[in-house]
Amino acid sequence: MTTGQMEEWRFPSHYNQDYLPEKDQPYWFPHRETMDPQERDAAVLVRLREVMEYAYAHSGFYKNKWDQAGLKPADITSFEAFEQVPVVTKQELRESQAEHPPFGDYTCIDDAEIHHIHGTSGTTGMPTAFALGRRDWQVIADNQARILWGMGLRPGDTVFVAALFSLYLGSWGAMTAAERLGCKVLPFGAGAGGGMTARAVTWLARTKPRGFYATPSYALRLAEVAEAEKIDPREFGLEVMFFSGEPGASVPKVRDAIANAFGARVVDCGTMAEMTPFMSAAATQGTPDGMLLWQDIVWHEVCDPQTFRRVPYGDEGTPVYTHLERTSQPMIRLASGDLTRWTMEDNPCGRTYPRLPEGVYGRIDDMITIRGENVYPIEIDNFLRGLDGYGGEHQVVVTRTGSMDEMTVRAECRYPDGDRADFARAGREGLQTVLGIRVTFEPVDANSFTRAEHKSRRVDDQRGIARNA
Amino acid sequence: MTTGQMEEWRFPSHYNQDYLPEKDQPYWFPHRETMDPQERDAAVLVRLREVMEYAYAHSGFYKNKWDQAGLKPADITSFEAFEQVPVVTKQELRESQAEHPPFGDYTCIDDAEIHHIHGTSGTTGMPTAFALGRRDWQVIADNQARILWGMGLRPGDTVFVAALFSLYLGSWGAMTAAERLGCKVLPFGAGAGGGMTARAVTWLARTKPRGFYATPSYALRLAEVAEAEKIDPREFGLEVMFFSGEPGASVPKVRDAIANAFGARVVDCGTMAEMTPFMSAAATQGTPDGMLLWQDIVWHEVCDPQTFRRVPYGDEGTPVYTHLERTSQPMIRLASGDLTRWTMEDNPCGRTYPRLPEGVYGRIDDMITIRGENVYPIEIDNFLRGLDGYGGEHQVVVTRTGSMDEMTVRAECRYPDGDRADFARAGREGLQTVLGIRVTFEPVDANSFTRAEHKSRRVDDQRGIARNA
């Protein structure tokens, strides 16, 4: 066993709150981040068993689920055995909370240990409540401080957290991590309308932060508002912009648009709110493309969406996540419903983690099937951002006449009405090439569509097909 | 000197983070809260000198200001001497920040010690930036946990923080205090529009918090939204609702409206964002009316607005505040511009602090002079809340024709248009009695006016008179 060599590796986790690496050191925990991946995996396997023993002892949810599947934590002596553990779905979590309100019987800590309550927005169905323990809150901050260090942030940097502070965990996770790192945090929040984005511009110009966190949609919105006020977003002096909540930061053209507007490095990160420390998938300063899977914080498996067994490196699949350090509501094989592709190669930064070269690029249920072809909305976004004259927003409408599906893309165009023929042709032909289907393409005036203050919703599928929540 | 007996009394402050009183103990620090006030004052006088020595040594702002006034911290050997220290105005803070961006030369800590950046909203003039040190952030949480304890909150209680999390410090101060107390915090935030208030109703009904923090305006708005959704706000089970940001929680009719709608105890607190721990003026479970002045946390003087010397107990004046425990941007004799009346009597809770029996009921520059009579907008609010048929919101418009001032109050009425004669007469006659001037009173439909998601702004003075910011 190599666990003795791994910095601060024990369960439940307790990190030394005074620890900080030397400022010029690229790694927070050099050994854990650069060790032989097979040795790391061996340590993780032991940890998976420990986490399962803990969950089995402290939660009716996991005990019942695993008893029904006829398995015991002690059986998990190989990753093949672990891949037999049935996945947890968000629907199961909702049902558990309905039966055992408010936090569900997968909550493993006493009520008195709960420190923060957060939740999903509930825009699709009943919201899920998150109960985060005092120790977990600290461990999350520590884990994510480690990952912010990898992105190149350092003590004393000002970090502007632009995302809304409410039920949404993203902003809180970014803030506590930056606090743990010894940064100056400006927790601005946003989405409150009433000129808050214009105020964000004022405060960015005034405080000149080095780090910035938001959703990609919000960053693009912010650049537009700054430009409308005749302020070049490059004057903010941002260097490291990290994003979660949407796939945009790994969509090449969205990424370029943000990087160019702000003159900053764009870093993608994020898994799911349930999985916080959600930054366990995150790029680094030395490996800026896609996201590394920090396998000693959360165990990431990219799986076949039917069998939930891991696919080989190089293949596409759906992420399945397991907490290695959480004790309040540990997720063990949570099915994400997302889509990605993973690889295992030498990373320029020296970390020995697998990587998602294109990030998490969609959800299984985001996929739109048009006349038998599978279309991911993100492909449309990426194409339009590279189209000359594109005004920055679009809408996708899917309809059915008889048995015939039709997709209409309405895209904002910066050129005046009489001058859009080239734009219309390039859009129509380009989308046909990228998507492999014929699309109705309609240029509309710039600023026709509302900008998202948080996450964008651009697809209106009017066919009335039942979709997963 | 009695300071040796005072719990955790030293400067700079460092509180034992493991300390919690016994659950049935009414005081956090029994001695500090119930000691002979003259002994406390003697200890405070020593502390005032210490804080001034610290500020003189660490800030150009205070050194220049006091050098120009010909005084030295060592001169402060009596409260009479302290009352000669020139007050600090918000305008001076803005000027200091303009000359020494971004935080001003009254900032006494190194840049690397800054933990959080917050600020004023800047709705009136250039916003002021707050730089809060790591130690101060902790001391604020500790101070305010002590005051929440006095309000009757205890470890394990769920506390719902409804106010917006952004530049505004109120919500952050309430949250960190509840965290320090060992509560379960639901930092909901609000003001983001788009159905967030309806979502707040869902989460209140689901998590049944014991404690709640917001502005009074927002609580009234929340009750309206709950009732529109056929949910009785009493079902939330709230017990302790504490408020700052507006005077409402000490305005009898506003206070009653909130207490009745939610079936909860209403607690007023708050001074100014610059003064955080702003809860240094706060009611307690045993002394629920008005606010006690926790003189060992912030030194409160109620002063003559011209001379800035203390007025006798029983008299009206303007609060002047001095930090006793802050080191990042200590405020020493900050002029509030507010209006209040203070008393010194035996408090039912046993704390030996002075009290503001009617809370902070206005600002010097809120006062509207109409034909030589002084009118405070809060008197109008309080009268209307007691008026049968009142719809919950109103607007005050002040105009001038020639040299003649006119005040028009437009008040929402719950009765239909043909049925408002009694309401109109009672409103007109009642306001004339309360304010001592003739007022034009116009009933309008219920829900005519937008509800404040944060603080209400109800007065539109169209006379073009120069007013302070």
Side-chain angles (χ1 to χ4, degrees), chain B residues 324-361:
Chain B
L324 299 181
E325 308 214 331
R326 288 279 302 273
T327 52
S328 40
Q329 291 180 323
M331 291 290 110
I332 298 168
R333 300 209 89 212
L334 179 65
S336 65
D338 288 331
L339 281 174
T340 189
R341 187 175 73 84
W342 68 348
T343 58
M344 188 59 163
E345 293 161 354
D346 286 346
N347 296 307
C349 69
R351 288 179 184 80
T352 53
Y353 296 128
R355 193 166 69 95
L356 309 179
E358 297 99 23
V360 172
Y361 44 74

mmCIF file of all heavy atoms in Angstrom, chain B residues 324-361:
data_model
loop_
_atom_site.group_PDB
_atom_site.id
_atom_site.type_symbol
_atom_site.label_atom_id
_atom_site.label_comp_id
_atom_site.label_asym_id
_atom_site.label_seq_id
_atom_site.Cartn_x
_atom_site.Cartn_y
_atom_site.Cartn_z
ATOM 1 N N LEU B 324 -14.929 48.983 18.516
ATOM 2 C CA LEU B 324 -14.027 48.607 19.608
ATOM 3 C C LEU B 324 -13.232 47.341 19.286
ATOM 4 O O LEU B 324 -12.301 47.002 20.014
ATOM 5 C CB LEU B 324 -14.824 48.389 20.905
ATOM 6 C CG LEU B 324 -15.601 49.610 21.418
ATOM 7 C CD1 LEU B 324 -16.326 49.281 22.705
ATOM 8 C CD2 LEU B 324 -14.666 50.805 21.611
ATOM 9 N N GLU B 325 -13.601 46.630 18.199
ATOM 10 C CA GLU B 325 -12.949 45.336 17.948
ATOM 11 C C GLU B 325 -12.464 45.165 16.510
ATOM 12 O O GLU B 325 -11.873 44.144 16.205
ATOM 13 C CB GLU B 325 -13.917 44.194 18.308
ATOM 14 C CG GLU B 325 -14.496 44.315 19.715
ATOM 15 C CD GLU B 325 -14.743 42.984 20.391
ATOM 16 O OE1 GLU B 325 -15.007 41.994 19.689
ATOM 17 O OE2 GLU B 325 -14.654 42.937 21.636
ATOM 18 N N ARG B 326 -12.730 46.098 15.631
ATOM 19 C CA ARG B 326 -12.328 45.956 14.238
ATOM 20 C C ARG B 326 -10.920 46.498 14.030
ATOM 21 O O ARG B 326 -10.555 47.517 14.626
ATOM 22 C CB ARG B 326 -13.291 46.720 13.323
ATOM 23 C CG ARG B 326 -14.666 46.105 13.159
ATOM 24 C CD ARG B 326 -14.685 44.986 12.141
ATOM 25 N NE ARG B 326 -14.229 45.413 10.828
ATOM 26 C CZ ARG B 326 -15.012 45.956 9.907
ATOM 27 N NH1 ARG B 326 -16.296 46.098 10.134
ATOM 28 N NH2 ARG B 326 -14.515 46.342 8.739
ATOM 29 N N THR B 327 -10.147 45.849 13.161
ATOM 30 C CA THR B 327 -8.808 46.362 12.858
ATOM 31 C C THR B 327 -8.594 46.659 11.377
ATOM 32 O O THR B 327 -7.613 47.291 11.020
ATOM 33 C CB THR B 327 -7.708 45.373 13.299
ATOM 34 O OG1 THR B 327 -8.000 44.083 12.746
ATOM 35 C CG2 THR B 327 -7.627 45.279 14.810
ATOM 36 N N SER B 328 -9.484 46.196 10.466
ATOM 37 C CA SER B 328 -9.211 46.396 9.038
ATOM 38 C C SER B 328 -9.553 47.822 8.603
ATOM 39 O O SER B 328 -8.708 48.517 8.056
ATOM 40 C CB SER B 328 -9.927 45.366 8.177
ATOM 41 O OG SER B 328 -11.221 45.078 8.617
ATOM 42 N N GLN B 329 -10.778 48.233 8.810
ATOM 43 C CA GLN B 329 -11.170 49.611 8.519
ATOM 44 C C GLN B 329 -11.949 50.133 9.725
ATOM 45 O O GLN B 329 -13.169 50.314 9.654
ATOM 46 C CB GLN B 329 -12.044 49.674 7.250
ATOM 47 C CG GLN B 329 -11.287 49.345 5.968
ATOM 48 C CD GLN B 329 -12.179 49.410 4.732
ATOM 49 O OE1 GLN B 329 -13.336 49.030 4.785
ATOM 50 N NE2 GLN B 329 -11.622 49.858 3.612
ATOM 51 N N PRO B 330 -11.255 50.365 10.842
ATOM 52 C CA PRO B 330 -11.969 50.781 12.047
ATOM 53 C C PRO B 330 -12.599 52.154 11.841
ATOM 54 O O PRO B 330 -11.970 53.061 11.302
ATOM 55 C CB PRO B 330 -10.876 50.827 13.122
ATOM 56 C CG PRO B 330 -9.607 51.029 12.366
ATOM 57 C CD PRO B 330 -9.792 50.309 11.053
ATOM 58 N N MET B 331 -13.838 52.273 12.254
ATOM 59 C CA MET B 331 -14.538 53.553 12.202
ATOM 60 C C MET B 331 -14.480 54.168 13.594
ATOM 61 O O MET B 331 -14.866 53.536 14.577
ATOM 62 C CB MET B 331 -15.994 53.349 11.786
ATOM 63 C CG MET B 331 -16.179 52.901 10.344
ATOM 64 S SD MET B 331 -15.759 54.228 9.168
ATOM 65 C CE MET B 331 -14.255 53.575 8.471
ATOM 66 N N ILE B 332 -13.993 55.389 13.658
ATOM 67 C CA ILE B 332 -13.856 56.082 14.937
ATOM 68 C C ILE B 332 -14.644 57.380 14.852
ATOM 69 O O ILE B 332 -14.282 58.298 14.144
ATOM 70 C CB ILE B 332 -12.364 56.314 15.264
ATOM 71 C CG1 ILE B 332 -11.696 54.932 15.386
ATOM 72 C CG2 ILE B 332 -12.214 57.141 16.545
ATOM 73 C CD1 ILE B 332 -10.202 54.957 15.430
ATOM 74 N N ARG B 333 -15.787 57.371 15.530
ATOM 75 C CA ARG B 333 -16.755 58.482 15.495
ATOM 76 C C ARG B 333 -17.322 58.673 14.091
ATOM 77 O O ARG B 333 -17.292 59.775 13.518
ATOM 78 C CB ARG B 333 -16.172 59.784 16.055
ATOM 79 C CG ARG B 333 -15.711 59.680 17.507
ATOM 80 C CD ARG B 333 -15.815 61.007 18.231
ATOM 81 N NE ARG B 333 -17.132 61.189 18.851
ATOM 82 C CZ ARG B 333 -17.748 62.368 19.002
ATOM 83 N NH1 ARG B 333 -17.188 63.475 18.552
ATOM 84 N NH2 ARG B 333 -18.938 62.445 19.564
ATOM 85 N N LEU B 334 -17.881 57.643 13.533
ATOM 86 C CA LEU B 334 -18.566 57.753 12.242
ATOM 87 C C LEU B 334 -19.942 58.375 12.457
ATOM 88 O O LEU B 334 -20.758 57.854 13.235
ATOM 89 C CB LEU B 334 -18.714 56.366 11.593
ATOM 90 C CG LEU B 334 -19.448 56.359 10.241
ATOM 91 C CD1 LEU B 334 -18.670 57.118 9.164
ATOM 92 C CD2 LEU B 334 -19.720 54.930 9.783
ATOM 93 N N ALA B 335 -20.208 59.466 11.756
ATOM 94 C CA ALA B 335 -21.511 60.144 11.844
ATOM 95 C C ALA B 335 -22.507 59.391 10.972
ATOM 96 O O ALA B 335 -22.261 59.172 9.796
ATOM 97 C CB ALA B 335 -21.377 61.584 11.369
ATOM 98 N N SER B 336 -23.623 58.981 11.571
ATOM 99 C CA SER B 336 -24.581 58.149 10.837
ATOM 100 C C SER B 336 -25.558 58.950 10.002
ATOM 101 O O SER B 336 -26.051 58.461 8.986
ATOM 102 C CB SER B 336 -25.371 57.289 11.828
ATOM 103 O OG SER B 336 -26.154 58.134 12.663
ATOM 104 N N GLY B 337 -25.879 60.147 10.452
ATOM 105 C CA GLY B 337 -26.956 60.887 9.781
ATOM 106 C C GLY B 337 -28.340 60.380 10.150
ATOM 107 O O GLY B 337 -29.340 60.868 9.638
ATOM 108 N N ASP B 338 -28.404 59.367 11.034
ATOM 109 C CA ASP B 338 -29.688 58.808 11.454
ATOM 110 C C ASP B 338 -30.253 59.587 12.633
ATOM 111 O O ASP B 338 -29.584 60.443 13.218
ATOM 112 C CB ASP B 338 -29.518 57.332 11.846
ATOM 113 C CG ASP B 338 -29.282 56.450 10.636
ATOM 114 O OD1 ASP B 338 -29.762 56.796 9.537
ATOM 115 O OD2 ASP B 338 -28.608 55.411 10.791
ATOM 116 N N LEU B 339 -31.476 59.265 12.977
ATOM 117 C CA LEU B 339 -32.133 59.892 14.114
ATOM 118 C C LEU B 339 -32.678 58.835 15.055
ATOM 119 O O LEU B 339 -33.249 57.827 14.600
ATOM 120 C CB LEU B 339 -33.304 60.757 13.636
ATOM 121 C CG LEU B 339 -32.937 62.123 13.076
ATOM 122 C CD1 LEU B 339 -34.178 62.783 12.514
ATOM 123 C CD2 LEU B 339 -32.312 62.997 14.164
ATOM 124 N N THR B 340 -32.516 59.064 16.344
ATOM 125 C CA THR B 340 -33.029 58.132 17.333
ATOM 126 C C THR B 340 -33.166 58.846 18.678
ATOM 127 O O THR B 340 -32.833 60.019 18.812
ATOM 128 C CB THR B 340 -32.108 56.902 17.457
ATOM 129 O OG1 THR B 340 -32.743 55.923 18.274
ATOM 130 C CG2 THR B 340 -30.765 57.278 18.072
ATOM 131 N N ARG B 341 -33.669 58.106 19.664
ATOM 132 C CA ARG B 341 -33.760 58.615 21.033
ATOM 133 C C ARG B 341 -33.242 57.495 21.916
ATOM 134 O O ARG B 341 -33.531 56.330 21.656
ATOM 135 C CB ARG B 341 -35.224 58.912 21.358
ATOM 136 C CG ARG B 341 -35.440 59.605 22.688
ATOM 137 C CD ARG B 341 -36.917 59.961 22.864
ATOM 138 N NE ARG B 341 -37.717 58.767 23.148
ATOM 139 C CZ ARG B 341 -37.886 58.227 24.356
ATOM 140 N NH1 ARG B 341 -37.315 58.780 25.415
ATOM 141 N NH2 ARG B 341 -38.618 57.154 24.519
ATOM 142 N N TRP B 342 -32.423 57.848 22.910
ATOM 143 C CA TRP B 342 -31.892 56.777 23.766
ATOM 144 C C TRP B 342 -32.318 56.928 25.209
ATOM 145 O O TRP B 342 -32.657 58.030 25.655
ATOM 146 C CB TRP B 342 -30.389 56.618 23.621
ATOM 147 C CG TRP B 342 -29.479 57.706 24.114
ATOM 148 C CD1 TRP B 342 -29.821 58.977 24.499
ATOM 149 C CD2 TRP B 342 -28.060 57.589 24.262
ATOM 150 N NE1 TRP B 342 -28.705 59.662 24.856
ATOM 151 C CE2 TRP B 342 -27.603 58.842 24.731
ATOM 152 C CE3 TRP B 342 -27.144 56.572 24.034
ATOM 153 C CZ2 TRP B 342 -26.246 59.074 24.967
ATOM 154 C CZ3 TRP B 342 -25.805 56.809 24.288
ATOM 155 C CH2 TRP B 342 -25.368 58.055 24.747
ATOM 156 N N THR B 343 -32.333 55.800 25.917
ATOM 157 C CA THR B 343 -32.712 55.796 27.335
ATOM 158 C C THR B 343 -31.736 54.890 28.086
ATOM 159 O O THR B 343 -31.035 54.080 27.478
ATOM 160 C CB THR B 343 -34.133 55.227 27.539
ATOM 161 O OG1 THR B 343 -34.171 53.901 27.009
ATOM 162 C CG2 THR B 343 -35.186 56.081 26.861
ATOM 163 N N MET B 344 -31.701 55.045 29.393
ATOM 164 C CA MET B 344 -30.896 54.157 30.232
ATOM 165 C C MET B 344 -31.770 53.755 31.418
ATOM 166 O O MET B 344 -31.982 54.555 32.342
ATOM 167 C CB MET B 344 -29.622 54.862 30.697
ATOM 168 C CG MET B 344 -28.643 53.954 31.419
ATOM 169 S SD MET B 344 -28.119 52.552 30.375
ATOM 170 C CE MET B 344 -26.655 52.014 31.263
ATOM 171 N N GLU B 345 -32.337 52.570 31.360
ATOM 172 C CA GLU B 345 -33.252 52.087 32.396
ATOM 173 C C GLU B 345 -32.932 50.628 32.661
ATOM 174 O O GLU B 345 -32.118 50.028 31.965
ATOM 175 C CB GLU B 345 -34.705 52.208 31.904
ATOM 176 C CG GLU B 345 -35.164 53.658 31.719
ATOM 177 C CD GLU B 345 -36.390 53.774 30.824
ATOM 178 O OE1 GLU B 345 -36.814 52.731 30.259
ATOM 179 O OE2 GLU B 345 -36.907 54.892 30.680
ATOM 180 N N ASP B 346 -33.578 50.049 33.650
ATOM 181 C CA ASP B 346 -33.417 48.616 33.887
ATOM 182 C C ASP B 346 -34.079 47.857 32.742
ATOM 183 O O ASP B 346 -35.253 48.065 32.450
ATOM 184 C CB ASP B 346 -34.086 48.203 35.209
ATOM 185 C CG ASP B 346 -33.266 48.661 36.411
ATOM 186 O OD1 ASP B 346 -32.083 49.051 36.212
ATOM 187 O OD2 ASP B 346 -33.807 48.647 37.525
ATOM 188 N N ASN B 347 -33.311 46.989 32.084
ATOM 189 C CA ASN B 347 -33.879 46.192 30.994
ATOM 190 C C ASN B 347 -34.373 44.859 31.547
ATOM 191 O O ASN B 347 -33.679 44.224 32.337
ATOM 192 C CB ASN B 347 -32.807 45.927 29.934
ATOM 193 C CG ASN B 347 -32.347 47.216 29.281
ATOM 194 O OD1 ASN B 347 -33.159 47.990 28.800
ATOM 195 N ND2 ASN B 347 -31.032 47.452 29.286
ATOM 196 N N PRO B 348 -35.564 44.408 31.104
ATOM 197 C CA PRO B 348 -36.102 43.141 31.608
ATOM 198 C C PRO B 348 -35.147 41.966 31.422
ATOM 199 O O PRO B 348 -35.128 41.037 32.233
ATOM 200 C CB PRO B 348 -37.368 42.931 30.774
ATOM 201 C CG PRO B 348 -37.711 44.253 30.182
ATOM 202 C CD PRO B 348 -36.469 45.081 30.163
ATOM 203 N N CYS B 349 -34.305 41.989 30.398
ATOM 204 C CA CYS B 349 -33.401 40.860 30.146
ATOM 205 C C CYS B 349 -32.188 40.877 31.081
ATOM 206 O O CYS B 349 -31.408 39.930 31.090
ATOM 207 C CB CYS B 349 -32.931 40.849 28.697
ATOM 208 S SG CYS B 349 -31.813 42.205 28.272
ATOM 209 N N GLY B 350 -32.010 41.974 31.830
ATOM 210 C CA GLY B 350 -30.903 42.038 32.782
ATOM 211 C C GLY B 350 -29.627 42.622 32.211
ATOM 212 O O GLY B 350 -28.654 42.819 32.943
ATOM 213 N N ARG B 351 -29.590 42.879 30.900
ATOM 214 C CA ARG B 351 -28.382 43.496 30.328
ATOM 215 C C ARG B 351 -28.356 44.974 30.703
ATOM 216 O O ARG B 351 -29.403 45.642 30.666
ATOM 217 C CB ARG B 351 -28.354 43.297 28.804
ATOM 218 C CG ARG B 351 -28.060 41.857 28.402
ATOM 219 C CD ARG B 351 -28.058 41.646 26.896
ATOM 220 N NE ARG B 351 -27.861 40.226 26.587
ATOM 221 C CZ ARG B 351 -28.820 39.310 26.628
ATOM 222 N NH1 ARG B 351 -30.050 39.644 26.941
ATOM 223 N NH2 ARG B 351 -28.542 38.041 26.342
ATOM 224 N N THR B 352 -27.180 45.453 30.986
ATOM 225 C CA THR B 352 -27.050 46.828 31.492
ATOM 226 C C THR B 352 -26.631 47.800 30.387
ATOM 227 O O THR B 352 -25.733 48.622 30.573
ATOM 228 C CB THR B 352 -26.026 46.857 32.637
ATOM 229 O OG1 THR B 352 -24.819 46.235 32.173
ATOM 230 C CG2 THR B 352 -26.542 46.120 33.853
ATOM 231 N N TYR B 353 -27.264 47.664 29.242
ATOM 232 C CA TYR B 353 -26.939 48.535 28.114
ATOM 233 C C TYR B 353 -27.997 49.631 27.970
ATOM 234 O O TYR B 353 -29.164 49.416 28.316
ATOM 235 C CB TYR B 353 -26.918 47.722 26.812
ATOM 236 C CG TYR B 353 -25.850 46.655 26.720
ATOM 237 C CD1 TYR B 353 -26.187 45.347 26.385
ATOM 238 C CD2 TYR B 353 -24.510 46.972 26.925
ATOM 239 C CE1 TYR B 353 -25.212 44.361 26.264
ATOM 240 C CE2 TYR B 353 -23.523 45.985 26.807
ATOM 241 C CZ TYR B 353 -23.884 44.684 26.471
ATOM 242 O OH TYR B 353 -22.924 43.727 26.355
ATOM 243 N N PRO B 354 -27.622 50.780 27.387
ATOM 244 C CA PRO B 354 -28.645 51.772 27.014
ATOM 245 C C PRO B 354 -29.562 51.178 25.930
ATOM 246 O O PRO B 354 -29.246 50.133 25.348
ATOM 247 C CB PRO B 354 -27.846 52.947 26.441
ATOM 248 C CG PRO B 354 -26.418 52.684 26.761
ATOM 249 C CD PRO B 354 -26.265 51.217 26.995
ATOM 250 N N ARG B 355 -30.670 51.845 25.694
ATOM 251 C CA ARG B 355 -31.644 51.297 24.746
ATOM 252 C C ARG B 355 -32.186 52.415 23.847
ATOM 253 O O ARG B 355 -32.232 53.587 24.258
ATOM 254 C CB ARG B 355 -32.794 50.645 25.528
ATOM 255 C CG ARG B 355 -33.718 49.769 24.710
ATOM 256 C CD ARG B 355 -34.614 48.904 25.612
ATOM 257 N NE ARG B 355 -35.596 49.693 26.326
ATOM 258 C CZ ARG B 355 -36.848 49.897 25.898
ATOM 259 N NH1 ARG B 355 -37.260 49.332 24.776
ATOM 260 N NH2 ARG B 355 -37.675 50.638 26.599
ATOM 261 N N LEU B 356 -32.553 52.027 22.606
ATOM 262 C CA LEU B 356 -33.262 52.939 21.695
ATOM 263 C C LEU B 356 -34.710 52.456 21.664
ATOM 264 O O LEU B 356 -35.027 51.520 20.929
ATOM 265 C CB LEU B 356 -32.663 52.877 20.287
ATOM 266 C CG LEU B 356 -31.136 53.045 20.151
ATOM 267 C CD1 LEU B 356 -30.715 52.934 18.684
ATOM 268 C CD2 LEU B 356 -30.662 54.369 20.752
ATOM 269 N N PRO B 357 -35.598 53.046 22.456
ATOM 270 C CA PRO B 357 -36.939 52.465 22.607
ATOM 271 C C PRO B 357 -37.735 52.426 21.302
ATOM 272 O O PRO B 357 -38.546 51.525 21.107
ATOM 273 C CB PRO B 357 -37.628 53.376 23.621
ATOM 274 C CG PRO B 357 -36.623 54.332 24.113
ATOM 275 C CD PRO B 357 -35.408 54.249 23.264
ATOM 276 N N GLU B 358 -37.500 53.383 20.412
ATOM 277 C CA GLU B 358 -38.233 53.389 19.125
ATOM 278 C C GLU B 358 -37.317 52.993 17.966
ATOM 279 O O GLU B 358 -37.639 53.257 16.810
ATOM 280 C CB GLU B 358 -38.826 54.778 18.858
ATOM 281 C CG GLU B 358 -39.863 55.214 19.878
ATOM 282 C CD GLU B 358 -39.291 56.146 20.946
ATOM 283 O OE1 GLU B 358 -38.257 56.793 20.670
ATOM 284 O OE2 GLU B 358 -39.846 56.201 22.063
ATOM 285 N N GLY B 359 -36.179 52.369 18.286
ATOM 286 C CA GLY B 359 -35.247 51.992 17.226
ATOM 287 C C GLY B 359 -34.613 53.227 16.596
ATOM 288 O O GLY B 359 -34.558 54.299 17.201
ATOM 289 N N VAL B 360 -34.093 53.058 15.386
ATOM 290 C CA VAL B 360 -33.573 54.192 14.612
ATOM 291 C C VAL B 360 -34.688 54.569 13.663
ATOM 292 O O VAL B 360 -35.017 53.801 12.768
ATOM 293 C CB VAL B 360 -32.297 53.780 13.846
ATOM 294 C CG1 VAL B 360 -31.873 54.889 12.888
ATOM 295 C CG2 VAL B 360 -31.171 53.458 14.826
ATOM 296 N N TYR B 361 -35.303 55.714 13.874
ATOM 297 C CA TYR B 361 -36.560 55.948 13.170
ATOM 298 C C TYR B 361 -36.469 56.863 11.969
ATOM 299 O O TYR B 361 -37.494 57.190 11.364
ATOM 300 C CB TYR B 361 -37.668 56.421 14.117
ATOM 301 C CG TYR B 361 -37.287 57.471 15.119
ATOM 302 C CD1 TYR B 361 -37.084 58.785 14.742
ATOM 303 C CD2 TYR B 361 -37.154 57.130 16.452
ATOM 304 C CE1 TYR B 361 -36.760 59.746 15.685
ATOM 305 C CE2 TYR B 361 -36.829 58.084 17.401
ATOM 306 C CZ TYR B 361 -36.627 59.388 17.010
ATOM 307 O OH TYR B 361 -36.306 60.331 17.943
#
